């Protein structure tokens, strides 16, 4: 499958042995202090872990060993989770199919000639193939939800600011969020509960009270009071017929239970991809400037013979993959003098309009539903020749990142070729309790 | 000759918010139509070239002040000078993947303090930006700085020029103050600069240390004015306790922009940046050299040879040399820092900070002037806030102002210099000095005795009275006692008496010396002379 890049066998065994000792000592599982006691997890390889090779699927970091651990991972390990290894991804989280990894693509767990989706392809595949109980991914433009939809697992992106980004190798600082993959929404809620919360080391985390998400799921769900927004802009040409059918069936399920389907409009939807591919690449181009081969990272032999500082930098940074280079060049251009106003500033302004669309919509509805991706898992190599085609895949997922909203992909069916389809549910900012309740009610209520 | 005039700040189209009190004497205004008013004895602000044209220099200064916070700007590494290389680093200031900056609020506090001391407008909302370029001492590949919304702008600074250079007041505009982080340091093996060395090493201890950048309006006209501006800025940051402002250590760095233009022409000439000046005097010499260089070129019709470039001041050869051409302006691709929220201040916070500011150097100088001290004395006393505080305490006890000033600037200062101590490090209390001065004034001891016992007070912290008693040094002012001493000396030295009465009046000093020797220097000199003369001249 190529889901894992690094296995942390020693660490896992040590953690497991320690857990055994603790179990023997306590006589029972210390669930209050360690709600994830003994549960095996996989971590996307763009989250740093002290002493563990972290590559971001790039040749630049092929042998990089970080001296510290990401907050999200630290919290999970403290809660008892055992790390089995680091999973494969698109290089620096840039991609939608996990074909941009410097260490080979991730294959779909059910269909080995297809992609798992990206950029958190490895994390999604690992859960689907039961190579771990849950995994961590990151979502900047759909990188958790898309692979979740493709592989048929639950993938959740929290509100921007809910989970610390300290230790997440930055792609786009104002869009990135860390989130979990699992088979059930219940598991996702529990993992999220442990990971989330203010972190003094990340200035963008929200200072909000801790919430008990698993508790929220236990309450019986009141479908009758649920208002679901269905954006008219989402059901258009380009959306695969099977996907549309499956999503509409899901909506019908809710309706049958008493929920109200409310047609809404998100008028700035057509601009989402353009805005994303300016904002994200601009932020990415600056975030990746630190990869200069001076303090860490690979220095190819050619760089060691460089004739000048400039030459050194050029030779070191030639180690980036094509997609990463593409985005760095785009971002640098869009921020350069004379263009910055027209591209970056403008994109930020339109981003606000996109966010306003949602603010308006959430005055009328509780959640917004639609497809996660316009298609199901495509074949390896099918979309690699045209990057733009690949970008269009992110159409439905991107708006939630731009608006900083929480969103989840829950399996809702399969297409004619038995490829999984995910239902996309978007909630209002910081409304994870409600969002997870809706997702959980759907998963519990629907039997496949 | 131009005369002294009231500040035209309020009448000019671009009112310059000068301190009216200061400007009552001399004021340099920002608009080009106003030229400088100087005291007659002072060196001119304009240079008359051989071609007869009068040129004036336009000088602007960018100062980076390293803040004395305990930790760095965006992480909790200690911000310390002189540690082992790379001893104070962490993932954040090293720019490791995944690390994020978090703002140290002391940096904001210090920024507001300096902004207020510079009478500037504080932006209640400001933000950080990334300034991007590649260099090995810049770990993230960008510097976190403030670009278009700095924390403060539109201020001014009051400067008093040293008396020995003609004195005078100046008021220079401050364009902006902003917060940013410092870069690391490169150590070059085999050379002083990157080019010409076999290898370079990177020390990131300094990376992430907080800086305040202060940009002045281009209103200085001479090297002296520029140096004094920098000195005043140093005085300010020390008074405020936000930095030790040490140029040698690098906690204060000044880059200067110099251009010349024919006097009266509103357009600026080509601007040359000068770096690498490690002291105020170096700044002054570098600028004067550069002005001379540029005017000479203009004079010879070679003005086009003045390129917009960066030049380094070479202390050894006392000249500026070309470093590299500024190929236009570098494109730093400024971009708002997404990892840091906006900096929001409340007016209450600003007001509270203002209320907590100490008396600033300029206010102190004006107060000392009003006490009747000479400008020379004012400048010395107000230069160091510890010295000024000491002085204030002494005169607070009612002591004679001039005496207090003299003792502090004279004997006390000399002793401190000799022992290499600061005024706060001696055992002498302001009260003890006040007492000493009063004892001299009321005649209990002579000034000479006072000087003798001062070291006791400084080293052992005894009071003047205690020292006098211990050494039995009280002044002899009893006329009868003095008379008998004088009689004895006269009796013992008939030859000298005869010589004196014969016309050698200079021998008076001999008799004074003898009496002093016998009395251990304790005789009241004025009384002694009176009695001696009356006895000798009878």
């Amino acid at each position: 499958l190529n889901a894992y890049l690094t296995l942390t066998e020693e660490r896992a065994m040590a953690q497991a042995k320690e857990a055994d000792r603790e179990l023997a000592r306590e006589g029972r599982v210390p669930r209050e202090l360690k709600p994830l006691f003994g549960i095996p997890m996989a971590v996307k390889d763009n989250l740093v872990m002290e002493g563990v090779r972290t590559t971001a699927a790039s040749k630049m970091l092929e042998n990089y060993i970080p001296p510290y651990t990401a907050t999200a991972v630290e919290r999970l390990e403290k809660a008892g989770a055992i790390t089995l290894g680091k999973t494969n991804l698109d290089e620096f989280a840039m991609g939608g199919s996990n074909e941009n990894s410097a260490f080979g693509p991730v294959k779909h767990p059910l269909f080995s000639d297809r992609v798992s989706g990206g950029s958190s392809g490895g994390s999604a595949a690992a859960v689907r193939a039961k190579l771990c109980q849950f995994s961590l991914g990151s979502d900047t433009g759909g990188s958790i939800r898309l692979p979740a939809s493709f592989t048929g697992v639950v993938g959740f992106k929290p509100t921007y600011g809910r989970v610390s980004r300290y230790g997440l190798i930055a792609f786009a600082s104002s869009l990135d969020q860390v989130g979990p993959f699992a088979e059930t929404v219940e598991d996702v809620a529990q993992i999220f509960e442990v990971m989330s919360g203010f972190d003094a080391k990340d200035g963008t985390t929200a200072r909000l009270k801790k919430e008990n998400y698993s508790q929220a799921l236990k309450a019986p769900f009141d479908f009758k009071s649920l208002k679901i927004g269905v954006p008219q802009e989402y059901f258009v040409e380009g959306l695969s017929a099977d996907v549309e059918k499956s999503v509409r069936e899901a909506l019908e399920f809710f309706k049958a239970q008493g929920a109200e389907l409310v047609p809404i409009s998100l008028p700035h939807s057509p601009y989402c991809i353009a805005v994303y591919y300016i904002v994200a690449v601009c932020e990415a181009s600056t975030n990746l400037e630190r990869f200069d081969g001076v303090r860490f990272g690979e220095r190819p032999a050619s760089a060691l013979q460089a004739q000048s500082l400039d030459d050194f930098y050029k030779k070191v940074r030639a180690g980036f993959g094509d997609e990463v280079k593409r985005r760095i060049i785009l971002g640098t251009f869009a921020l350069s003098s004379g263009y910055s106003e027209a591209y970056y500033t403008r994109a930020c302004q339109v981003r606000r309009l996109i966010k306003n669309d949602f603010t308006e919509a959430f005055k009328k509805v509780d959640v917004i539903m639609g497809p996660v991706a316009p298609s199901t898992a495509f074949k390896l190599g099918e979309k690699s020749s045209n990057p733009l085609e690949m970008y269009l895949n992110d159409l439905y997922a991107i708006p939630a990142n731009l608006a900083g909203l929480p969103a989840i992909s829950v399996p809702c069916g399969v297409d004619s070729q038995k490829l999984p389809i995910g239902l996309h549910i978007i909630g209002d900012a910081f409304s994870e309790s409600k969002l997870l309740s809706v997702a959980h009610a759907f998963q519990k209520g629907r039997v496949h | 000759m131009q005369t002294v005039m009231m500040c035209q700040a309020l009448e000019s189209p671009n009112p310059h918010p000068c301190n009216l009190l200061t400007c009552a004497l001399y004021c340099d205004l920002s608009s080009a139509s106003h030229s400088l008013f100087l005291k007659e004895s002072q060196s001119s602000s304009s240079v008359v070239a051989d071609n007869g044209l009068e040129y004036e220099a336009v000088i602007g200064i960018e100062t980076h002040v390293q803040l004395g916070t305990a930790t760095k700007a965006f992480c909790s590494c200690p911000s310390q000078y002189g540690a082992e290389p790379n001893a104070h680093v962490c993932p954040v200031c090293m720019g490791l993947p995944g690390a994020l900056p978090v703002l140290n609020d002391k940096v904001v506090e210090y920024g507001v303090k300096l902004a207020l001391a510079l009478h500037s407008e504080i932006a209640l909302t400001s933000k950080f930006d990334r300034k991007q370029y590649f260099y090995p001492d810049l770990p993230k590949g960008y510097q976190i700085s403030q670009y278009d919304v700095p924390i403060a702008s539109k201020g001014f600074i009051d400067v008093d020029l040293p008396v020995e250079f003609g004195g005078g007041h100046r008021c220079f505009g401050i364009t902006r103050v902003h917060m940013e982080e410092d870069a690391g340091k490169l150590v070059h093996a085999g050379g002083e600069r990157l080019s010409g060395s076999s290898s370079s090493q990177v020390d990131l201890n300094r990376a992430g240390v907080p800086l305040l950048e202060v940009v002045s309006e281009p209103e200085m006209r001479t090297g002296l004015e520029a140096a004094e501006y920098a000195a005043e800025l140093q005085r300010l940051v020390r008074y405020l306790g936000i930095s030790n402002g040490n140029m040698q250590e690098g906690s204060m760095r000044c880059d200067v922009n110099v251009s010349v233009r024919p006097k009266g022409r509103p357009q600026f000439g080509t601007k040359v940046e000068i770096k690498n000046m490690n002291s105020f005097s170096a700044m002054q010499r570098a600028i004067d050299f550069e002005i001379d260089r540029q005017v000479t070129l203009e004079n010879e019709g070679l003005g086009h040879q003045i390129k917009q470039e960066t030049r380094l001041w070479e202390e050894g050869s006392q000249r500026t040399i070309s470093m590299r051409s500024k190929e236009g302006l570098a494109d730093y691709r400024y971009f708002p820092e997404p990892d840091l929220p906006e900096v929001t201040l409340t007016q209450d916070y600003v007001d509270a900070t203002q209320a907590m500011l100490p008396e600033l150097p300029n206010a102190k100088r004006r107060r000392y002037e009003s006490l009747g001290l000479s400008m020379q004395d004012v400048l010395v006393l107000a230069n160091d806030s510890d010295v000024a505080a000491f002085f204030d305490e002494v005169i607070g006890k009612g002591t004679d102002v001039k005496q207090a000033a003299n003792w502090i600037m004279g004997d006390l200062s000399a002793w401190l210099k000799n022992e290499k101590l600061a005024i706060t490090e001696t055992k002498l209390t302001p009260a003890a000095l006040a007492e000493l001065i009063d004892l001299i004034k009321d005649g209990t001891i002579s000034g000479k005795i006072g000087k003798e016992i001062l070291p006791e007070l400084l080293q052992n912290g005894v009071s003047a009275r205690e020292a006098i008693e211990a050494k039995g040094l009280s002044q002899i002012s009893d006329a009868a006692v003095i008379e008998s001493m004088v009689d004895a000396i006269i009796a013992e030295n008939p030859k000298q008496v005869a010589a004196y009465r014969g016309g050698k009046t200079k021998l008076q000093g001999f008799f004074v010396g003898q009496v002093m020797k016998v009395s251990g220097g304790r005789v009241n000199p004025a009384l002694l002379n009176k009695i001696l003369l009356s006895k000798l001249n009878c």
Side-chain angles (χ1 to χ4, degrees), chain B residues 150-359:
Chain B
I151 192 164
S153 55
K154 304 204 200 85
F156 63 88
I157 186 170
D158 294 298
V159 175
D160 281 292
L161 298 178
V163 174
E164 57 266 33
F165 291 110
H169 300 282
R170 294 287 180 275
C171 181
F172 299 121
I174 303 283
T175 314
R176 56 184 273 153
V177 179
H178 74 249
M179 305 178 280
E180 61 182 27
E181 58 173 351
D182 211 344
K185 239 196 297 217
L186 287 185
V187 178
H188 306 295
E192 254 194 47
R193 285 190 283 288
L194 191 69
S195 58
S197 45
S198 56
S199 70
S200 298
Q201 292 168 303
V202 187
D203 174 12
L204 294 176
N205 280 345
R206 207 183 63 178
V209 166
L211 299 174
L212 283 177
E213 181 175 327
V214 181
V215 181
S216 80
E217 289 288 330
E219 291 173 359
M220 297 84 177
R221 296 284 174 263
T222 64
L224 173 71
E225 290 184 354
E228 285 309 312
Y229 163 89
E232 185 66 10
L233 204 50
Q234 183 192 65
R235 213 165 280 128
L236 261 181
V237 302
R238 287 177 173 176
Y239 259 67
L240 293 169
I242 64 177
S243 168
N244 67 21
N246 200 320
M247 275 188 92
Q248 284 75 12
E249 252 176 47
S251 23
M252 192 167 118
R253 312 195 281 262
C254 290
D255 296 331
V256 179
N257 286 304
V258 181
S259 68
V260 298
R261 64 182 173 194
K263 203 149 184 182
R265 188 187 82 185
Q267 293 101 340
F268 292 132
T270 308
K271 186 165 69 166
V272 174
E273 184 185 30
I274 309 176
K275 281 172 135 49
N276 201 40
M277 298 154 290
N278 293 326
S279 65
F280 301 133
S281 71
M283 271 179 78
Q284 184 170 351
R285 281 177 276 123
I287 292 168
D288 287 338
F289 173 90
E290 183 59 25
I291 293 172
D292 204 56
R293 183 186 81 91
Q294 291 189 17
V295 170
T296 306
L297 284 173
E298 287 283 355
N299 178 45
E300 290 166 9
L302 297 170
H304 54 274
Q305 276 189 17
I306 303 172
K307 285 180 271 150
Q308 181 170 319
E309 59 173 347
T310 302
R311 295 176 77 85
L312 294 179
W313 171 248
E314 253 190 5
E315 192 63 34
S317 56
Q318 291 286 297
R319 61 194 182 117
T320 63
I321 57 163
S322 182
M323 183 170 133
R324 55 166 182 256
S325 244
K326 272 190 165 170
E327 308 113 7
L329 291 163
D331 183 2
Y332 292 115
R333 285 176 283 121
Y334 284 101
F335 156 76
E337 172 60 75
D339 290 329
L340 292 170
E342 274 184 350
V343 181
T344 352
L345 306 167
T346 59
Q347 191 57 49
D348 283 347
Y349 173 82
V350 175
D351 294 340
T353 310
Q354 173 88 65
M356 282 196 317
L357 290 183
E359 184 187 34

Side-chain angles (χ1 to χ4, degrees), chain A residues 1-127:
Chain A
L1 276 188
N2 208 21
Y4 279 92
L5 289 176
T6 305
L7 290 175
T8 54
E9 208 174 315
E10 260 180 56
R11 186 193 188 94
M13 291 313 288
Q15 285 173 328
K17 286 205 173 83
E18 180 54 42
D20 277 337
R21 276 194 289 271
E22 203 172 333
L23 194 55
R25 260 200 325 267
E26 308 283 323
R28 62 180 193 88
V29 174
R31 205 157 294 266
E32 306 76 25
L33 280 175
K34 298 198 173 182
L36 300 174
F37 189 83
I39 301 187
M41 75 168 170
V43 176
K44 185 174 181 181
D45 208 18
N46 62 354
L47 284 157
V48 295
M49 287 181 69
E50 186 177 348
V52 177
R53 186 180 86 129
T54 300
T55 66
S58 177
K59 281 254 179 287
M60 295 288 269
L61 295 177
E62 195 165 356
N63 296 301
Y64 175 61
I65 313 257
Y68 74 106
T69 302
T71 301
V73 176
E74 207 175 58
R75 288 180 179 180
L76 291 169
E77 284 195 322
K78 255 209 192 92
I82 295 178
T83 310
L84 296 181
K86 311 300 291 302
T87 54
N88 205 348
L89 60 148
D90 278 300
E91 189 178 355
F92 286 108
M94 300 183 187
S97 64
N98 216 141
E99 291 175 289
N100 291 328
S101 166
F103 307 112
V106 172
K107 298 192 201 120
H108 197 287
L110 305 174
F111 304 91
S112 59
D113 61 337
R114 291 187 181 262
V115 301
S116 269
S119 60
S120 316
S123 285
V127 171

Side-chain angles (χ1 to χ4, degrees), chain A residues 234 266 354-362 368 399-400 403 405 426:
Chain A
Y234 284 7
L266 299 170
I354 292 168
K355 183 164 167 84
N356 287 346
D357 281 356
F358 283 97
T359 310
E360 284 308 303
F362 281 117
I368 295 173
L405 300 171
I426 308 173

Side-chain angles (χ1 to χ4, degrees), chain B residues 495-497 499-500 504-512 532 536:
Chain B
K495 266 217 218 131
Q496 285 82 346
V497 173
Y500 175 87
K504 288 199 168 149
T505 50
K506 275 204 178 137
L507 281 171
Q508 177 184 359
F510 165 76
F511 292 110
V512 169
L532 184 63
L536 285 174

Side-chain angles (χ1 to χ4, degrees), chain A residues 68 165 167 286-287 289 295 337, chain B residues 94 97-98 130 132 139 141 331:
Chain A
Y68 74 106
R165 287 183 300 117
T286 74
N287 284 325
E289 284 204 20
R295 302 165 311 293
S337 152
Chain B
M94 277 197 79
R130 293 183 181 179
Q132 306 174 59
D331 183 2

